[in-house]
């Protein structure tokens, strides 16, 4: 293998391994992630309610399948179970721990507990004593209060005065009350968040589980998940995202690296023909290629695997820093991602070389010599047939995405992109010929002589042009779909939220939320005609998709009695006013075949299973959530009863109400929508990371492929110089040929992105057209086409400059 080709393959394989290994780092981190054990450090075990929903759902053509989903909120435990746990040999004590959000008078958030929970970390007093009266509290020193000071703390109502009788110096910010006060502020009599077991080191976990049937016993690092539920809830999402990104990375590597290796082998056709002519067998030719592949691929895959650790760590750090992942979501680094990247990358290289070498090693030497001089005119039948199959699959996915909605449409859109890209890779030479005829006329009009030369050069090397078109189309289609699908969702969500918000103003919170009495206080203000508290949660529900049921975690809202006057979810069936008691309203995407009056089972935030009657079906699921529930039902089954905000109808002066609650503020509808849009864009950060990684790899592979393809044309350039073409004419021909080839690739990639985004906008976001930024689209096209043009023109200029005399090597 020549030095330039060797370098190009090495670089492509290195980046492929780095990308695949980085996905492995995210997957391993998700599998091993546990929140750090801080507050339960002194507990031998932590007993919690089941934090997963498990059930059997109907599958098409199969029996019921078992599925599970994590709970986003805490499943509480009965305090009565503590007596059974205390009876287990080796158990010293069991602490019923409760947690609730508290705001200091300065707006600083702390977590409230009973003083008995201080032993679990343990928290140690640095000054003062434990609380004994209902108006006494122990605070963390970081809260900024002094011993003996009177502070106002807000928990379940208006801020109340407490006297600081003790301070603790270490640990997460906390406020400790007497057991009675903590239970009253917690608001769930007879229940606790967890039962923390203080025991000897030899206590039996099995004995604890037997004493607490139906509950979950966590020991060791698993205790961290009882502290921070966000890590366990995020794990399933990261696993799905990492697997999706890993699959896309493998496919991208197969297309990019495969195209590059095929190009390198085809450019060496003359060498293999001579080997066959002097007696080399097909097996010897294949073994030669395999040895070269191992010699280049093994160090490249190993280097890329090592780089993947740093790349995965950067992606993890960036997502934690931007709030995409919770702070407690730890990073796991081990040799496993390196080994996986090494194996997968080498497998891709070996398989590609094996497939590409079949023809050059089998054909007759005379035929091989002929094809090394002139490319074959047609494509193998298997390639045309396979390309047609993937084209049909892409069109079928287009039909499915247009007819379905929700996650089914989203999955179909992903299949649409993959199918059309694979079809482009297989049918690239045919697309190159079509593009050469269409764009060739344009360049001939611009430059009759060199334009005709460029058109003929492209037509005579359709296989080479097809290898160039594929990565160009892949870069445009993939990056465009990822970038503008996210902006389409943001636009649709903000538009639906704005259209569905009928409130004149909103009482919002800068802290953990608003006490339940805030909505009633707003309702009493003169000029207020309606005030609806809104509380967000997550429910688990079996959703029907294409005849099958899938257990999904769905965003939901608990809304108050005045909701119909303050929001418009665009009800298509039923009435929002009927949403009370044991009822539910569902978005059109998740309602499936359910009608008004149908009974639907679902699991609330704390895992409680309820069967509700459908009161309404609505269209604005993106903007208002897929599930609307009665406010009191959500509040009773959430980790905290605090409301997110209150929608207010009427232009009353709410400054007095806002000043009565710490962290409360009044915003208008426009400012509220702007905050929602910013939060949605932050959630799309993962898509930006995906685009940056994969699109960057595709562009690197594209540049490498183009540079090698151009450098391999030395004989062609020398022949043109020999028949009288000047160096300037040859360079202009190369530039015009780049316009034809890159223009064809850009056109195909743009067409795939346009079809995919239109289907996505229609089926998933409910928009007639996708939200495409002209500046973003222009930069994407300029970046891909510009880097491709530079990779063609610069090697051509260098090649022509090296040979001062027009001779054929």
């Amino acid at each position: 293998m020549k030095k330039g080709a060797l370098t190009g393959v090495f670089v492509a394989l290195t980046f492929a391994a780095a990308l695949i290994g980085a996905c492995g780092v995210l997957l391993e981190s998700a599998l091993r992630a546990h929140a750090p054990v801080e507050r339960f450090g002194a507990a031998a075990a932590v007993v919690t309610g089941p934090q997963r929903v498990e059930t059997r759902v109907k599958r098409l053509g199969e029996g019921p399948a078992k599925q599970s989903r994590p709970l986003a909120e805490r499943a509480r435990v009965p305090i009565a179970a503590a007596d059974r746990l205390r009876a287990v040999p080796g158990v010293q004590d069991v602490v019923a721990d409760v947690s609730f959000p508290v705001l200091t008078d300065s707006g600083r958030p702390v977590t409230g507990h009973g003083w008995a929970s201080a032993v679990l970390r343990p928290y140690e007093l640095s000054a003062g004593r434990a609380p004994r009266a209902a108006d006494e509290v122990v605070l963390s020193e970081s809260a900024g209060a002094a011993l003996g000071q009177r502070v106002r703390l807000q928990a379940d109502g208006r801020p109340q005065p407490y006297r600081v009788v003790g301070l603790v110096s270490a640990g997460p910010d906390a406020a400790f009350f007497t057991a009675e006060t903590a239970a009253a502020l917690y608001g769930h009599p007879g229940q606790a968040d967890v039962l923390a077991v203080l025991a000897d080191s030899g206590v039996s976990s099995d004995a604890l589980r037997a004493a607490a049937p139906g509950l979950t016993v966590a020991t060791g690092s698993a205790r961290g998940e009882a502290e921070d539920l966000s890590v366990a809830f995020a794990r399933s999402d990261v696993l799905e995202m990492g697997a999706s990104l890993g699959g896309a990375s493998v496919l991208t590597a197969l297309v990019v690296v495969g195209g590059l290796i095929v190009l390198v082998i085809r450019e060496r056709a003359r060498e293999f023909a001579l080997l066959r002519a002097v007696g080399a067998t097909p097996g010897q030719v294949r073994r030669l290629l395999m040895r070269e592949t191992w010699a280049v691929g093994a160090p490249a895959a190993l280097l890329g695997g090592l780089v993947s650790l740093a790349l995965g760590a950067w992606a993890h750090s960036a997502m934690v820093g931007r709030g995409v992942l919770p702070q407690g979501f730890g990073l796991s680094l081990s040799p496993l991602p390196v080994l996986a990247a090494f194996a997968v990358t080498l497998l891709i290289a070996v398989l590609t070389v094996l497939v590409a070498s079949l023809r050059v090693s089998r054909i007759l030497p005379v035929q091989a010599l002929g094809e090394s001089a002139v490319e074959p005119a047609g494509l193998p039948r298997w390639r045309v047939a396979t390309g047609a199959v993937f084209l049909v699959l892409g069109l079928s996915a287009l039909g499915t995405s247009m007819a379905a909605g929700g996650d089914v449409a989203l999955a179909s859109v992903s299949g649409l992109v993959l199918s059309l890209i694979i079809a482009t890779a297989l049918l690239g030479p045919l697309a190159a010929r079509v593009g050469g005829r269409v764009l060739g006329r344009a360049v001939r009009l611009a430059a009759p002589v060199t334009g005709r030369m460029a058109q003929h050069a492209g037509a005579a090397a359709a296989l080479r042009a097809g290898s160039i078109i594929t990565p160009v189309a892949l870069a445009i289609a993939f990056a465009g779909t990822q970038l503008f699908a996210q902006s389409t969702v943001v636009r649709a969500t903000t538009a639906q939220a704005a259209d569905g918000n009928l409130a004149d103003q909103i009482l919002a919170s800068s802290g953990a939320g608003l006490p339940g009495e805030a909505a009633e206080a707003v309702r009493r203000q003169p000029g207020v005609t309606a005030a609806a508290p809104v509380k967000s949660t997550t429910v688990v529900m079996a959703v029907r998709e294409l005849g099958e049921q899938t257990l999904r975690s769905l965003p939901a809202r608990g809304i108050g009695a005045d909701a119909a006057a303050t929001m418009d979810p665009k009800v298509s069936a039923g009435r929002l006013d009927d949403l009370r008691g044991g009822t539910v309203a569902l978005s059109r995407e998740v309602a499936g075949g359910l009608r008004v009056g149908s009974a639907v089972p679902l699991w609330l935030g704390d895992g409680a299973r309820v069967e509700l009657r459908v009161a309404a079906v609505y269209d604005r699921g993106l903007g208002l959530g897929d599930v609307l529930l009665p406010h009191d039902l959500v509040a009773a089954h959430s980790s905290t009863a605090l409301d997110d905000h209150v929608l207010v109808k009427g232009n009353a002066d709410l400054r007095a109400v806002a000043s009565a609650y710490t962290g409360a503020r009044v915003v208008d509808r426009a400012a509220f929508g702007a905050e929602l849009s910013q939060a949605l864009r932050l959630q799309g950060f993962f898509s930006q990371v995906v685009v940056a990684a994969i699109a960057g790899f595709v562009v690197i592979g594209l540049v490498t492929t183009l540079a090698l393809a151009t450098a391999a044309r030395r004989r062609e350039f020398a022949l043109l110089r020999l028949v009288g073409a000047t160096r300037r004419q040859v360079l202009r021909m190369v530039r015009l040929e780049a316009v034809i080839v890159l223009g064809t690739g850009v056109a195909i990639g743009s067409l795939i992105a346009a079809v995919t985004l239109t289907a996505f906008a229609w089926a998933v976001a409910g928009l007639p057209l996708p939200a495409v930024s002209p500046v973003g689209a222009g930069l994407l096209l300029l970046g891909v086409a510009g880097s491709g043009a530079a990779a063609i023109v610069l090697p051509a200029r260098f090649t022509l400059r090296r040979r001062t005399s027009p001779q054929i090597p």
Side-chain angles (χ1 to χ4, degrees):
M1 192 178 295
K2 296 181 180 179
K3 184 177 180 180
L6 185 148
T7 303
V9 173
F10 183 89
V11 170
L13 290 175
T14 300
F15 276 91
L19 194 57
I20 295 170
C23 300
V25 170
L26 293 178
L27 285 173
E28 184 180 18
S29 298
L31 290 171
R32 297 176 182 268
H34 289 288
V37 180
E38 294 182 328
R39 218 169 51 78
F40 295 149
V46 177
V47 180
T48 67
Q51 286 301 139
R52 296 189 70 85
V53 168
E54 294 186 355
T55 188
R56 292 188 176 274
V57 298
K58 297 179 181 178
R59 307 295 292 176
L60 194 63
E62 303 176 5
K66 188 176 181 180
Q67 292 186 358
S68 67
R69 291 294 300 174
L71 294 176
E73 302 189 56
R74 191 174 296 281
R76 289 181 286 272
V77 297
I79 295 178
D83 293 334
R84 298 194 300 271
L85 291 169
R86 290 189 182 98
V88 175
V91 173
Q92 300 171 0
D93 195 10
V94 177
V95 177
D97 178 67
V98 299
S99 300
F100 48 91
V102 176
L103 281 178
T104 66
D105 46 13
S106 64
R108 185 184 184 93
V110 298
T111 305
H113 309 281
W115 175 247
S117 298
V119 72
L120 299 179
R121 189 182 187 272
Y123 283 90
E124 296 182 356
L125 286 168
S126 59
R129 59 173 175 81
R132 299 170 186 166
D135 64 343
E136 294 180 346
V137 67
V138 172
L139 286 176
S140 296
E141 289 182 353
S142 56
L147 192 65
Q149 180 182 347
R150 301 289 291 188
V151 296
R152 295 179 65 83
L153 303 178
Q154 176 179 294
D156 65 340
R158 293 174 183 261
Q160 300 295 322
Y162 292 88
R163 186 164 64 93
V164 180
V165 297
L167 296 173
V168 291
S169 59
D173 291 349
F176 294 98
F177 304 85
T178 63
E180 294 77 11
T181 302
L185 295 176
Y186 180 62
H188 299 284
Q191 294 181 311
D193 286 339
V194 304
L195 299 177
V197 179
L198 302 176
D200 300 331
S201 58
V203 68
S204 170
S205 299
D206 293 335
L208 293 175
R209 293 186 179 92
L215 301 179
T216 301
V217 177
T219 59
S221 61
R223 293 172 297 168
E225 293 191 5
E227 288 189 34
D228 187 358
L229 300 181
S230 61
V231 174
F233 188 74
R235 180 184 295 117
S236 59
D237 292 335
V238 175
L239 286 173
E240 292 177 4
M241 291 188 297
S244 175
L245 175 57
S249 301
V250 172
L251 178 64
T252 303
L254 191 60
V255 172
V256 174
V257 175
L260 178 61
I261 290 177
V262 169
L263 178 65
V264 170
I265 290 178
R266 187 166 58 247
E267 296 298 340
R268 298 175 63 191
R270 183 182 180 86
E271 172 190 343
F272 298 137
L274 291 174
L275 288 175
R276 294 280 286 117
V278 297
T281 65
Q284 288 175 324
V285 174
R286 285 195 291 270
R287 284 193 293 272
L288 171 65
L289 285 170
M290 288 295 179
R291 286 196 299 270
E292 292 180 349
T293 302
W294 277 99
V296 176
L302 181 59
L303 176 62
L306 296 174
V307 171
S308 71
L309 297 178
L311 183 60
W314 171 83
H316 173 273
S317 175
M319 287 189 285
V320 171
R322 296 294 293 270
V324 180
L325 293 178
Q327 289 291 333
F329 198 99
L331 173 67
S332 295
L333 295 177
S334 77
L336 292 179
V338 178
L339 296 176
F342 180 84
V344 173
T345 304
L346 268 184
L347 181 63
I348 290 173
V350 169
L351 288 178
T352 305
V353 167
L354 181 62
V355 173
S357 66
L358 291 179
R359 178 172 176 78
V360 297
S361 63
R362 285 178 178 176
I363 61 176
L364 297 175
V366 175
Q367 185 181 0
L369 286 169
E371 291 188 1
S372 68
V374 180
E375 284 188 355
L379 290 177
R381 292 181 180 178
W382 70 267
R383 185 167 175 175
V384 175
T386 308
V389 168
F390 277 100
L391 187 60
V392 171
L393 290 175
L395 297 177
S396 175
L398 174 62
T400 301
S401 63
M402 296 296 284
D407 285 356
V408 175
L410 185 60
S412 299
V413 165
S414 302
L416 171 61
V417 176
L418 297 179
S419 298
L420 294 181
I421 286 296
I422 295 174
T424 301
L426 294 169
L427 303 178
L430 299 181
R433 293 190 180 103
V434 175
R437 284 194 292 268
V438 175
L439 296 179
R441 297 189 183 97
V443 299
R444 285 170 58 183
L445 291 175
V449 176
T450 52
R452 184 182 296 273
M453 293 169 59
Q455 186 180 22
H456 285 310
L463 289 175
R464 181 184 65 211
S467 298
I468 296 172
I469 287 172
T470 300
V472 174
L474 175 61
I476 297 292
F478 181 82
T481 301
Q482 289 289 335
L483 285 174
F484 302 127
Q486 177 62 26
S487 62
T488 300
V489 170
V490 171
R491 173 180 292 183
T493 303
T494 52
Q496 288 187 17
D499 294 341
N501 187 359
L502 303 180
D504 297 309
Q505 48 190 331
I506 296 96
L507 182 67
S509 172
S510 301
L514 297 169
E517 66 180 46
E520 186 59 35
V522 170
R523 198 175 287 115
R524 291 195 297 264
Q525 297 302 304
V528 173
T529 60
V534 177
K535 179 169 180 56
S536 298
T537 185
T538 301
V539 301
V540 178
M541 176 180 165
V543 178
R544 185 176 297 276
E545 298 173 346
L546 295 181
E548 296 185 343
Q549 286 185 324
T550 302
L551 201 63
R552 289 174 52 190
S553 298
L554 301 173
R557 291 186 178 188
I559 55 178
D562 291 341
T566 57
M567 67 170 56
D568 176 19
K570 198 175 181 180
V571 174
S572 57
R575 295 194 324 142
L576 195 62
D577 285 331
D578 294 336
L579 186 64
R580 59 174 62 91
T583 60
V584 63
L586 301 175
S587 70
R588 175 173 50 86
E589 285 74 17
V590 303
L594 297 173
R595 299 180 179 180
V596 174
S598 300
V600 53
L602 56 81
W603 290 261
L604 299 174
D606 62 354
R609 186 185 186 277
V610 293
E611 188 164 305
L612 306 176
R613 180 178 56 85
V614 178
V617 177
Y618 56 94
D619 293 338
R620 291 178 174 144
L622 281 177
L624 301 180
D626 285 315
V627 180
L628 297 178
L629 295 162
H631 175 270
D632 293 343
L633 179 64
V634 172
H637 294 276
S638 296
S639 297
T640 170
L642 299 179
D643 295 325
D644 295 333
H645 54 268
V646 179
L647 300 175
V648 183
K649 194 69 175 176
N651 293 313
D653 187 356
L654 300 180
R655 286 178 294 180
V657 177
S659 63
Y661 299 96
T662 305
R665 54 194 173 87
V666 180
V667 297
D668 58 23
R669 194 176 354 180
F672 187 73
E675 292 177 2
L676 172 64
S677 179
Q678 178 62 27
L680 290 171
R681 288 188 173 88
L682 189 63
Q683 293 174 9
F685 179 72
F686 182 77
S687 295
Q688 298 171 10
V689 173
V690 172
V691 170
I694 296 185
F697 167 61
V698 173
V699 170
I700 290 171
L702 168 65
V703 170
T704 304
T705 301
L706 290 174
L708 289 177
T710 305
R713 300 174 65 183
R714 292 189 304 273
R715 299 181 70 252
E716 176 187 344
F717 294 158
L719 179 61
L720 289 173
R721 295 292 307 280
L722 186 63
V723 298
T726 65
R727 180 174 176 272
R728 183 176 180 181
Q729 286 177 319
V730 175
L731 284 175
R732 191 172 188 187
M733 178 203 76
V734 170
R735 285 194 290 268
L736 293 176
E737 187 181 351
V739 170
I740 296 174
V741 177
L742 295 177
T744 302
V746 167
I748 293 174
S750 301
L751 179 61
I752 293 174
V755 170
T756 303
L757 288 171
T758 301
F760 178 86
W762 177 265
V764 178
L767 297 177
L769 292 174
V772 178
S773 166
V775 175
L779 291 175
L780 173 62
L781 296 176
L782 182 62
V784 175
S787 59
I792 292 176
V793 174
L794 294 180
R797 186 184 296 274
F798 178 75
T799 300
L800 289 168
R801 186 174 295 169
R802 286 180 59 192
R803 292 193 175 276
T804 55
S805 60
Q807 56 181 330
I808 303 177

